Amino acid sequence: MNKKDYYEVLGVSKTASDEEIKRAFRRLAKQYHPDVNKEADAEEKFKEIGEAYAILSDPEKRRQYDQFGHAAFEGGAGGGFSGFSTDDIDLSSIFEDLFGSSFGFNFGGGSRNRRNGPTKGRDRLIKMNLTFEEAVFGCKKTLDLDLNETCEKCHGVGGFGEKTCNKCHGRGTIIIEQKSMFGIFQTQTTCNECNGSGKNFETTCNECRGSGHIRAKKEIVVTIPEGVDTGYQLRISGKGEAGANGGPNGDIYIEFSVKKHDFFVREEEDIYLEVPLTITEAALGCKKEIPTLENNVVLEVKAGASTGEKLKLKGKGIKIPNSLRKGDMYVILNVITPTKLNRKQKKLLEELAQTGLEEETPFKDFQKYLKK
């Protein structure tokens, strides 16, 4: 009977990468595994999938198959491989991929690492809103949190009179034997008597009910550094959830969202301020008092200023967090044309219009484009 093409069995092309072959096998193995699929031909299909994977996942066997086809493994032209065996697949890794890392499969009689060692506590992410000024100058904030704390009564162990778990004999895991089409294999899972700790107690702590942790309200004062911005995260080490089995506490991460300012616009460590000028201030030049982040300064505007002109005030920007360097401040000039004129103002402007303002070069250049 002719065998199916191994590439067709896995549903991949002949140019498929190793990763594509592996993904295809995992997907099909999940679909046709006899413990999951109860159809009559599921076991046969699973064997077929496994055989195809055993060949195509091995670079040398795949090369032989591409050159000689199935004959390469039937004592034909290529030789060197006779039939399919479960030895050709790393079943332990495949079953773990299929059913999750919570199960351990032991085909060689060995044991997996114990899971009752010290474990770091969970981190916490806190969202915090700041005003523009709080972000620029830094501030102190108080956090009111509910956190898992190590139980002081039992010092985090969960009880008193510690003894080795009788069911797992201190390993924290137990072995369950299961039958499969591949034979008998062993499933390693967390011991349900000691929850993986490998130990029990004569008396369970009534304060934490054996968990080693209690839920407690905690107040933490946080110093916000100068210059934080939206999206910036501040890490507070060791202030998160309590660890397990003597492990360290997790961390707290604070992520900031900064409110926009009414006048200042921030771009990283630089700030921008739009300053309005009257037409006379722009034409004659002036000294203009303007605000900065720290105080007011007098800005000198030269005669003939125009809208969009940008002036730089070095070092008047925002301090970079955890640095001594500051950004700059940029003043954007905006010449405002008056829309409400009294009689005197209107008369003065009319007189000004008759004084030859259009003799300026830009006006003369523009005249050249007028149609005659």
Side-chain angles (χ1 to χ4, degrees):
M1 181 177 178
N2 292 331
K3 287 188 175 183
K4 290 183 180 179
D5 180 88
Y6 287 144
Y7 291 101
E8 291 183 5
V9 170
L10 295 182
V12 297
S13 69
K14 291 187 177 182
T15 59
S17 66
D18 292 342
E19 186 59 33
E20 289 173 327
I21 290 172
K22 193 173 185 180
R23 283 202 303 266
F25 169 72
R26 288 176 176 173
R27 176 177 54 80
L28 293 170
K30 285 182 181 180
Q31 182 178 349
Y32 290 107
H33 191 281
D35 291 343
V36 178
N37 193 322
K38 301 303 179 182
E39 294 179 9
D41 61 344
E43 184 172 336
E44 190 61 34
K45 286 184 177 180
F46 188 75
K47 286 182 179 179
E48 191 176 63
I49 294 163
E51 182 175 344
Y53 179 73
I55 302 301
L56 299 184
S57 64
D58 184 292
E60 179 59 25
K61 291 169 187 173
R62 183 178 179 182
R63 185 190 65 76
Q64 293 181 33
Y65 177 72
D66 289 344
Q67 186 173 1
F68 301 108
H70 291 288
F73 313 111
E74 297 171 356
F81 180 73
S82 55
F84 164 66
S85 165
T86 57
D87 293 337
D88 297 304
I89 306 178
D90 181 3
L91 292 175
S92 62
S93 64
I94 289 172
F95 276 109
E96 186 166 322
D97 286 339
L98 294 178
F99 300 107
S101 58
S102 60
F103 294 93
F105 294 87
N106 185 351
F107 293 88
S111 62
R112 297 183 58 142
N113 293 332
R114 289 172 57 179
R115 300 184 181 182
N116 56 357
T119 304
K120 181 181 177 182
R122 288 192 304 112
D123 296 336
R124 288 283 300 271
L125 176 63
I126 308 296
K127 304 279 188 177
M128 180 180 289
N129 296 322
L130 297 176
T131 66
F132 184 87
E133 289 79 7
E134 287 174 332
V136 168
F137 299 112
C139 60
K140 289 186 181 292
K141 290 283 188 177
T142 300
L143 298 178
D144 293 315
L145 302 174
D146 283 332
L147 294 172
N148 279 335
E149 290 279 294
T150 299
C151 177
E152 293 184 359
K153 186 173 182 179
C154 66
H155 304 290
V157 297
F160 309 94
E162 182 180 313
K163 59 183 180 180
T164 301
C165 176
N166 290 328
K167 187 168 186 177
C168 68
H169 305 291
R171 291 190 302 270
T173 58
I174 56 175
I175 304 297
I176 301 174
E177 289 192 349
Q178 295 185 7
K179 290 184 178 181
S180 163
M181 57 177 289
F182 297 119
I184 296 176
F185 63 89
Q186 296 174 324
T187 304
Q188 181 173 279
T189 187
T190 302
C191 175
N192 57 0
E193 286 290 328
C194 64
N195 294 320
S197 68
K199 55 192 176 185
N200 289 324
F201 301 95
E202 294 179 1
T203 305
T204 300
C205 177
N206 58 8
E207 186 74 20
C208 64
R209 298 180 181 179
S211 68
H213 299 138
I214 57 171
R215 203 69 178 169
K217 292 187 179 297
K218 195 169 184 180
E219 188 177 275
I220 301 174
V221 178
V222 181
T223 300
I224 312 300
E226 296 178 59
V228 300
D229 199 1
T230 295
Y232 182 93
Q233 284 193 351
L234 178 67
R235 175 177 174 237
I236 306 173
S237 179
K239 296 296 184 180
E241 305 283 3
N245 301 316
N249 288 3
D251 302 324
I252 291 178
Y253 289 86
I254 304 177
E255 184 173 303
F256 301 106
S257 178
V258 181
K259 184 180 179 181
K260 292 184 178 180
H261 194 271
D262 291 338
F263 299 105
F264 294 117
V265 175
R266 178 175 182 171
E267 290 188 9
E268 296 182 349
E269 67 268 23
D270 296 330
I271 59 168
Y272 292 78
L273 175 68
E274 185 177 286
V275 175
L277 296 178
T278 66
I279 54 175
T280 54
E281 287 175 328
L284 302 175
C286 65
K287 291 184 178 181
K288 190 85 170 177
E289 187 177 14
I290 65 169
T292 68
L293 292 176
E294 297 179 348
N295 50 29
N296 291 347
V297 298
V298 176
L299 179 71
E300 186 171 345
V301 180
K302 294 182 179 180
S306 58
T307 292
E309 189 174 338
K310 184 163 66 174
L311 305 177
K312 178 179 177 180
L313 300 180
K314 188 171 180 59
K316 292 293 185 180
I318 297 171
K319 185 177 180 292
I320 300 172
N322 304 314
S323 168
L324 296 177
R325 192 168 71 85
K326 283 189 174 184
D328 301 318
M329 175 174 171
Y330 292 91
V331 176
I332 311 300
L333 302 181
N334 183 17
V335 182
I336 304 298
T337 302
T339 56
K340 296 180 180 179
L341 300 171
N342 57 37
R343 287 185 179 182
K344 183 178 180 179
Q345 291 168 335
K346 187 174 181 180
K347 182 178 180 181
L348 288 172
L349 287 176
E350 288 174 345
E351 291 176 355
L352 181 62
Q354 304 301 320
T355 60
L357 291 176
E358 293 187 357
E359 295 301 316
E360 293 277 343
T361 300
F363 296 105
K364 288 183 178 180
D365 290 342
F366 179 74
Q367 293 292 331
K368 296 177 181 178
Y369 291 96
L370 296 177
K371 292 182 179 179
K372 302 298 180 181

